[in-house]
Amino acid sequence: MPKQKPEIRKHNFNEVALGYTADQAVAEAERCLQCPKPQCVSGCPVEIEIPDFIRLIKERQFDEAVKEVKRRNSLPAICGRVCPQEEQCQQQCVMGKAGEPINIGRLERFVADYEMNRGTSTISKQEPTGKKVAVVGAGPAGLTAAAELVKLGHEVVIFEALHKPGGVLIYGIPEFRLPKRIVAAEADYVKRLGASIETNALIGRLFTIPELLVNRFDAVFVGTGAGLPQFLKLPGENLGGIYSANEFLIRVNLMKSYAFPEYDTPIRIGKKVAVIGAGNVAMDSARSALRLGADTVYIVYRRSKAEMPARAEEVENAEEEGIIFKLLTNPTKFFGDEKGWVKHMECIEMQLGETDESGRRRPSPVEGSEFLMDVDTVIIAVGRTPNPIIQRTTKGLETTKWGTIKAEEETGKTSLPGVYAGGDIVTGEATVIKAMGAGKKAARAIHQYLASQK
Amino acid sequence: MYKIITKQELAAKIKLLEVNAPDIAAKAKPGQFIILVVDETGERIPLTIADYNIVKGTVTFIFNEVGKTTKQLGSLNEGDSIVNIAGPLGVPSEIKKFGRVLCVGGGVMIAPLHLQVKALREAGNDVTTVIGARGEDLLIFEQKMKKVSNKVYIVTDDGSRGFKGFDFLKELLKAESFQRAIVMGPVIMMETVSEISKSFNIPTMVTVTPIMVDGMGMCGVCRVTVGGETKFACIDGPEFDGHQVDFEELVKRQRLFLPEERLSSMFWEKLGGGCHRER
């Protein structure tokens, strides 16, 4: 798939991957073997009939192809861009055994963009059931659950705490990987299906879950995500210029601080930026920092390249753009200038030992190997934990020791009747598509629950 | 959209807005705050709730016009609207019968303190209130405070009214006993009062107002060190034990974006400061 050249794209926030043309999409679709027992479908958390939509592309029936995708997945323009297909559908593809698997994600993106550009999507209204469901959080899990529930004829209100819908898609993933107009269009599609979205509504404070159930709704789906940033708990961590990845990305993505002062929210990026961590959020942060004008951007990670949790494609993009990987390195302390801004970061070299319970080799510090790095911005991207507000304000809702909500994997059913949950709030930080899969399963379970309540 | 019902200028550059927000009004409690975004390109800023009216469905907040967003807010009029208001946010204040409570407020934070004083009185406390400002002309809510407090003292930095500075508090605390102190105002004032109250062993709650973005626990910019531990003002606070807060760090973190804030403010004034700008 064509991409913007690294030397150009590292100075702009436009989308890096440019997408297939119709001819390119058809050529890719023609490679598909149309297996009688397709393996790819088993790798898809939302069960898209992959060979069917690829066949329709091959036949140039693009409108039909997108309909086929949307039968199973309400947010294809998003999934086509941010799903880790290489670990899911494409990993199962027979063609991958002999060479390159079919680029299913890029084909999904192609049909979704095709429809978005043409504006052809048709919506058929369902017979109303008279049941009302509240969806808490307008991220991937919530939007998917809402779409499925309205398709089944239920009335759905989505409550979103921020001022725009999309959750991590709008505040977390940068414009150059997922343009915000795409997120807005997908959220708009869910609205056109019939769901309504109330922004600025922090559930737990504005209304509690029990209040929603008593006053207005027959069931509730909680998809509030893993929104709380983790810090390193190191000395000097509260110095200026040290951001959580969440703060940095919220400023840049949701608040558009790259366009400051036209947009009011400021961001300050120095010349030497260190991003701590090596997941997708770390790659997003590093590449955003580069685009905001940093001279040198480091990824500082305590293990080696093989253990990096980010998608291979994102690591490759970061490398192409000139991000420097300082591996087997861990920060230990931050030092500031007289104004309270970070100036140096003390690090220690690490070595890998035995394999731990996560299946990765455990890092340990090399004694006496401390050294100083000159930095003026540090972005901490070492993971996020569940937002605790709902758990703190909902009596009887069982949680785990990690603060996630206890819910059945296949249904999202929680310890409270009529309350379902899915996505990162249940699993801890995971992927967009897994959250969507959970939203979909919960919607089915809620549908059954509502039918049994008649 | 949240429509402005009432606008008042309480002192130079200190303004009050009462906005239509019935859901928030129904849920608000003393000590909580809202986050607002003035317009489509606006930033998210926190403001402590100064009052709420469940019957009218309104929420009131008071602010000092110091930066771009507060100046822009101040340029709005009755009938205009604010695009986004989220709230009520933060943990409500603990309101119960403590006995004798000392409430100290400074600047615009006197307004939300008034809400607490009222609630503390209704809970059966004897409340002595101290209100302060840089000078007499900037002092707000004096009459309102007199109505709800058992006793009111006035302090100014320049001595133009009442006591000059907070030294008199030491005498007051020597003469009278208090079971709790509530302090809301500029960091330096909260630090001074907390130091004094500590030497008299009076449990003291301060309300911190650091920079916030989402205000819901997501970004961590509002982190405050309390008793050596990092807390998020938005979800763990905004009230903390005044004897445990690292005020020096708090001041530094409040000033992190001062150059950008100045630039933003200048940029806005260059564009007409709300008078001529097309919106």
Side-chain angles (χ1 to χ4, degrees):
Chain A
M1 179 161 56
K3 292 202 282 193
Q4 272 197 77
K5 288 204 167 57
E7 60 273 22
I8 295 171
R9 73 185 192 230
K10 70 185 192 186
H11 300 297
N12 70 55
F13 274 86
N14 299 332
E15 195 169 15
V16 168
L18 301 171
Y20 281 146
T21 61
D23 288 343
Q24 285 169 331
V26 171
E28 183 64 18
E30 277 170 351
R31 294 205 303 122
C32 175
L33 298 177
Q34 294 288 314
C35 306
K37 281 187 187 160
Q39 298 301 303
C40 50
V41 181
S42 67
C44 178
V46 293
E47 305 147 2
I48 296 175
E49 298 291 349
I50 294 165
D52 289 355
F53 97 84
I54 293 183
R55 179 180 46 79
L56 290 162
I57 295 176
K58 198 163 96 181
E59 293 165 1
R60 289 188 176 264
Q61 298 192 58
F62 302 141
D63 287 323
E64 293 305 311
V66 71
K67 251 190 228 164
E68 179 55 46
V69 173
K70 280 197 161 173
R71 229 160 44 81
R72 301 288 185 155
N73 177 0
S74 301
L75 314 170
I78 292 168
C79 289
R81 286 172 166 83
V82 302
C83 263
Q85 291 97 8
E86 67 280 3
E87 296 169 10
Q88 298 176 340
C89 51
Q90 290 176 196
Q91 194 181 46
Q92 309 291 327
C93 177
V94 175
M95 289 294 284
K97 309 231 152 68
E100 179 80 348
I102 306 297
N103 279 300
I104 300 164
R106 293 172 185 180
L107 290 172
E108 182 184 26
R109 170 183 165 167
F110 167 76
V111 292
D113 287 2
Y114 173 84
E115 180 190 51
M116 210 169 272
N117 294 334
R118 294 233 319 200
T120 50
S121 76
T122 49
I123 283 154
S124 53
K125 292 271 180 216
Q126 280 299 312
E127 201 60 33
T129 60
K131 300 286 184 184
K132 293 188 75 174
V133 184
V135 169
V136 184
L143 287 174
T144 305
E148 297 298 319
L149 287 162
V150 283
K151 280 188 202 164
L152 293 164
H154 306 299
E155 196 180 328
V156 177
V157 179
I158 307 175
F159 294 98
E160 168 53 48
L162 289 171
H163 60 281
K164 282 181 186 168
V168 72
L169 308 168
I170 199 100
Y171 76 74
I173 302 175
E175 179 77 21
F176 57 82
R177 208 148 72 76
L178 179 62
K180 298 307 149 226
R181 64 178 170 80
I182 303 277
V183 182
E186 299 273 60
D188 193 54
Y189 171 71
V190 177
K191 278 203 261 184
R192 283 189 293 129
L193 283 173
S196 61
I197 303 181
E198 289 188 17
T199 51
N200 300 317
L202 179 65
I203 300 305
R205 289 275 175 234
L206 189 62
F207 312 112
T208 62
I209 303 271
E211 283 168 352
L212 292 176
L213 283 168
V214 167
N215 300 335
R216 295 170 64 184
F217 297 95
D218 301 298
V220 177
F221 173 77
V222 180
T224 46
L228 245 65
Q230 278 184 325
F231 285 94
L232 299 164
K233 298 193 163 123
L234 294 177
E237 199 168 19
N238 292 347
L239 287 165
I242 303 184
Y243 302 96
S244 72
N246 254 15
E247 179 192 351
F248 176 72
L249 292 172
I250 289 172
R251 284 180 184 272
V252 177
N253 298 325
L254 177 69
M255 307 310 295
K256 299 195 189 297
S257 61
Y258 57 84
F260 177 85
E262 190 193 330
Y263 280 76
D264 291 347
T265 307
I267 188 85
R268 199 187 301 169
I269 282 294
K271 297 290 171 207
K272 288 188 172 172
V273 179
V275 177
I276 317 299
N280 289 322
V281 174
M283 300 303 143
D284 285 347
S285 302
R287 297 171 67 199
S288 296
L290 198 66
R291 282 158 175 78
L292 287 164
D295 287 344
T296 315
V297 181
Y298 300 100
I299 289 274
V300 177
Y301 181 48
R302 61 192 182 131
R303 303 187 204 237
S304 73
K305 192 167 179 178
E307 290 85 16
M308 293 201 296
R311 291 181 70 185
E313 187 179 324
E314 299 310 326
V315 174
E316 187 187 314
N317 279 329
E319 279 174 336
E320 280 175 9
E321 289 169 15
I323 306 289
I324 299 166
F325 286 75
K326 281 196 86 69
L327 305 172
L328 293 167
T329 304
N330 209 21
T332 48
K333 203 173 183 181
F334 302 99
F335 299 95
D337 63 14
E338 64 288 348
K339 281 188 175 163
W341 274 81
V342 65
K343 203 169 133 192
H344 303 294
M345 176 167 84
E346 186 191 85
C347 295
I348 192 160
E349 287 174 21
M350 306 293 278
Q351 59 196 357
L352 293 181
E354 296 298 309
T355 306
D356 66 11
E357 61 275 14
S358 76
R360 296 179 298 180
R361 293 178 65 196
R362 188 192 302 275
S364 61
V366 177
E367 222 172 288
S369 67
E370 290 90 348
F371 66 98
L372 275 187
M373 273 176 80
D374 285 346
V375 290
D376 46 20
T377 305
V378 176
I379 300 166
I380 297 168
V382 294
R384 300 185 264 212
T385 54
N387 199 311
I389 295 175
I390 293 220
Q391 294 87 314
R392 283 183 191 172
T393 55
T394 312
K395 232 184 167 174
L397 186 66
E398 284 180 20
T399 55
T400 67
K401 63 176 172 180
W402 299 283
T404 53
I405 295 175
K406 274 191 193 167
E408 287 178 12
E409 200 182 328
E410 282 308 304
T411 60
K413 196 167 175 289
T414 69
S415 57
L416 289 178
V419 179
Y420 293 75
D424 286 2
I425 192 66
V426 171
T427 58
E429 196 173 4
T431 59
V432 167
I433 187 67
K434 285 194 177 126
M436 290 176 55
K440 196 167 176 165
K441 283 178 182 169
R444 271 185 218 151
I446 291 169
H447 182 58
Q448 282 175 4
Y449 167 79
L450 293 173
S452 72
Q453 294 294 298
K454 270 175 192 165
Chain B
M1 296 291 248
Y2 301 80
K3 199 171 180 179
I4 297 169
I5 308 297
T6 315
K7 177 187 180 181
Q8 282 174 32
E9 184 158 355
L10 302 175
K13 296 189 174 176
I14 297 179
K15 288 180 179 163
L16 172 153
L17 292 180
E18 181 184 12
V19 299
N20 184 49
D23 291 340
I24 302 176
K27 265 312 177 67
K29 295 206 168 64
Q32 291 188 298
F33 64 94
I34 50 115
I35 291 257
L36 65 80
V37 184
V38 183
D39 65 8
E40 288 307 321
T41 57
E43 61 183 335
R44 294 173 67 95
I45 64 156
L47 289 170
T48 313
I49 295 170
D51 205 358
Y52 49 85
N53 186 320
I54 301 174
V55 180
K56 280 168 81 185
T58 59
V59 173
T60 301
F61 43 85
I62 289 169
F63 53 93
N64 214 335
E65 293 184 358
V66 283
K68 187 256 171 178
T69 301
T70 44
K71 285 176 190 168
Q72 187 182 0
L73 260 185
S75 76
L76 299 179
N77 292 308
E78 289 172 7
D80 289 345
S81 287
I82 294 165
V83 290
N84 295 296
I85 301 182
L89 305 174
V91 181
S93 308
E94 190 183 359
I95 303 291
K96 63 173 191 187
K97 189 166 178 184
F98 295 101
R100 299 196 74 228
V101 182
L102 176 72
C103 289
V104 185
V108 292
M109 292 299 278
I110 293 172
L113 181 72
H114 174 255
L115 201 55
Q116 291 220 29
V117 172
K118 244 186 352 188
L120 286 165
R121 271 305 290 281
E122 281 164 16
N125 293 285
D126 180 293
V127 182
T128 297
T129 304
V130 180
I131 54 172
R134 263 175 293 149
E136 185 182 14
D137 49 337
L138 293 171
L139 192 69
I140 61 167
F141 271 49
E142 184 183 340
Q143 292 314 315
K144 282 188 154 188
M145 274 304 195
K146 283 184 173 159
K147 265 188 210 154
V148 294
S149 313
N150 294 79
K151 187 155 193 166
V152 174
Y153 294 95
I154 289 167
V155 185
T156 49
D157 292 348
D158 61 6
S160 56
R161 187 71 202 286
F163 294 100
K164 186 176 177 180
F166 280 94
D167 280 348
F168 87 98
L169 255 191
K170 293 176 192 160
E171 302 307 316
L172 180 68
L173 296 186
K174 261 183 220 163
E176 300 179 26
S177 70
F178 293 93
Q179 281 71 53
R180 192 178 175 86
I182 312 284
V183 193
M184 297 173 86
V187 175
I188 176 103
M189 188 206 89
M190 294 197 294
E191 187 176 11
T192 309
V193 175
S194 296
E195 270 169 20
I196 298 171
S197 73
K198 194 176 181 181
S199 58
F200 291 90
N201 284 319
I202 302 169
T204 301
M205 298 305 286
V206 298
T207 295
V208 298
T209 53
I211 296 173
M212 287 187 189
V213 182
D214 60 279
M216 300 161 182
M218 292 171 61
C219 80
V221 67
C222 67
R223 57 200 194 269
V224 180
T225 303
V226 183
E229 234 183 282
T230 296
K231 298 277 183 192
F232 289 180
C234 62
I235 55 168
D236 301 321
E239 275 187 22
F240 294 108
D241 179 348
H243 301 154
Q244 302 276 331
V245 170
D246 182 341
F247 289 108
E248 194 189 333
E249 179 187 274
L250 180 62
V251 170
K252 278 188 179 157
R253 290 195 60 82
Q254 274 182 337
R255 292 179 181 161
L256 287 180
F257 288 98
L258 268 191
E260 287 81 5
E261 283 160 15
R262 284 197 192 107
L263 176 67
S264 184
S265 190
M266 274 163 52
F267 184 74
W268 189 69
E269 278 169 4
K270 271 263 157 44
L271 289 175
C275 304
H276 315 292
R277 193 177 177 195
E278 285 292 319
R279 266 199 290 275

